[in-house]
Amino acid sequence: MASNDKTVAREAARLKRKEYEKELAKLHVELVKLQEWVKHEKLKICVVFEGRDGAGKGGTIKAITERVSPRVFRVVALPAPTDREKTQMYAQRYLVHLPAGGEVVLFDRSWYNRAGVERVMGFCSEAVARRFLEGIPLVERAMVESGIVLLKYWLEVSQDEQTRRLQARIDDGRKIWKLSPMDLESYSRWYDYSHARDEMFAATDSPFAPWYVVRSDDKRRARLNVIRHLLSRIPYKDVTRREKRPKLPERQKRNGYVEPGYPYKYVPEEY
């Protein structure tokens, strides 16, 4: 199949925007119901998103959070550790961001940096990476036993699709900030990352904190599938129906108020 034919076939197979937005709107309603249930029951939800560069983690998190309260759904995307943090127990800087009652925390990359990018890029030794893989299931068991609902998603993208997305970041001025020198270096190490992922799954895909793999070549389908799965893993009830439907009150009367004629500095209306 010619390159152009492959592109046409790929685009034809993708979920159309209109259908995507229709389904996403339905799921957003359910996420609001989940939000109110989490607040009502003081649940603690922790969702980890991992995957290759360009797999769509950020877009998936944005799709989850765009219609819910940031005071309930918190996104954690930590920068590189400080000199002080480098001296701490490895998971320590992540643990302070775990949810309290009534919160959902979404990690855009997590403690699994040690099993992935740090290991592949040589920021930690093989011995340190292996000790991490041995110890982190114990930390996750403690999290679950404390009442945290822990969900771990790995977004998997094909080589061709990753290439297309990273090239788009180079070509599109709106996306260039998403591409770092580290991304370029990581791109060349596809199979090193594959080996690291395989060992990570073998060591940390536990009955109490399993990994869920999401095919993400079609970003829209991936987002919908993640949201639907997340909703299915947290039993919730619709407590929004317990309250009466709100009704706007009447505005107060003018009572002699007169517009002051102040020379407001309006933003130029160029659109």
Side-chain angles (χ1 to χ4, degrees):
M1 182 182 289
S3 177
N4 287 344
D5 293 338
K6 288 182 179 179
T7 300
V8 170
R10 183 184 67 234
E11 293 303 323
R14 295 189 191 281
L15 187 65
K16 298 294 185 276
R17 178 176 294 277
K18 186 175 181 179
E19 183 179 354
Y20 165 72
E21 291 178 348
K22 178 181 177 182
E23 293 302 315
L24 185 60
K26 295 177 184 176
L27 293 174
H28 279 159
V29 172
E30 295 304 311
L31 283 170
V32 170
K33 293 178 184 177
L34 173 63
Q35 169 183 276
E36 297 308 300
W37 181 250
V38 167
K39 290 162 54 181
H40 185 268
E41 295 294 309
K42 302 297 182 185
L43 298 181
K44 298 178 290 186
I45 314 296
C46 179
V47 189
V48 168
F49 287 94
E50 294 287 347
R52 300 180 188 272
D53 293 323
K57 298 178 292 297
T60 301
I61 291 171
K62 183 177 179 181
I64 293 171
T65 58
E66 63 183 344
R67 296 292 183 176
V68 291
S69 170
R71 288 181 290 276
V72 178
F73 281 74
R74 290 195 291 111
V75 178
V76 176
L78 298 185
T82 64
D83 289 341
R84 179 178 181 275
E85 288 171 334
K86 289 177 182 178
T87 68
Q88 296 175 341
M89 182 184 76
Y90 180 72
Q92 187 173 339
R93 75 185 190 119
Y94 295 98
L95 298 181
V96 298
H97 296 282
L98 291 179
E103 292 181 341
V104 181
V105 173
L106 310 173
F107 280 94
D108 186 350
R109 294 201 181 278
S110 66
W111 45 91
Y112 282 104
N113 273 337
R114 174 136 293 179
V117 63
E118 290 190 15
R119 185 180 193 183
V120 172
M121 302 304 294
F123 297 144
C124 72
S125 67
E126 278 295 306
V128 167
R130 292 187 183 281
R131 284 200 300 273
F132 167 80
L133 291 174
E134 291 172 0
I136 202 63
L138 301 177
V139 176
E140 292 181 349
R141 180 183 287 277
M143 292 165 58
V144 172
E145 290 179 350
S146 77
I148 293 175
V149 177
L150 177 59
L151 297 171
K152 303 186 303 192
Y153 292 105
W154 175 273
L155 275 63
E156 186 63 39
V157 66
S158 67
Q159 291 190 51
D160 288 347
E161 182 62 15
Q162 185 191 51
T163 298
R164 190 187 71 80
R165 292 179 186 177
L166 295 185
Q167 186 62 51
R169 294 181 182 181
I170 295 173
D171 299 337
D172 190 335
R174 300 168 299 175
K175 300 178 180 179
I176 192 65
W177 64 271
K178 293 184 176 182
L179 192 66
S180 68
M182 185 70 64
D183 295 331
L184 296 174
E185 179 67 22
S186 298
Y187 176 80
S188 68
R189 302 193 181 193
W190 176 273
Y191 292 106
D192 287 342
Y193 274 97
S194 295
H195 286 303
R197 176 204 59 197
D198 296 345
E199 290 194 29
M200 182 186 77
F201 280 3
T204 64
D205 185 21
S206 60
F208 52 86
W211 279 103
Y212 297 105
V213 179
V214 184
R215 294 187 181 92
S216 66
D217 274 14
D218 185 330
K219 289 182 179 181
R220 293 170 186 164
R221 295 185 193 277
R223 293 167 188 169
L224 297 179
N225 287 332
V226 168
I227 296 173
R228 184 173 292 279
H229 184 268
L230 187 155
L231 290 167
S232 75
R233 301 305 302 173
I234 308 169
Y236 64 96
K237 296 179 181 178
D238 183 6
V239 294
T240 62
R241 295 181 180 272
R242 298 182 183 182
E243 300 177 2
K244 290 184 178 180
R245 185 181 180 87
K247 182 180 178 181
L248 292 175
E250 292 185 7
R251 292 192 191 274
Q252 65 182 152
K253 297 185 182 302
R254 181 180 289 269
N255 291 328
Y257 174 79
V258 178
E259 296 288 345
Y262 186 82
Y264 297 111
K265 299 174 182 64
Y266 286 105
V267 171
E269 296 180 349
E270 299 184 11
Y271 297 95

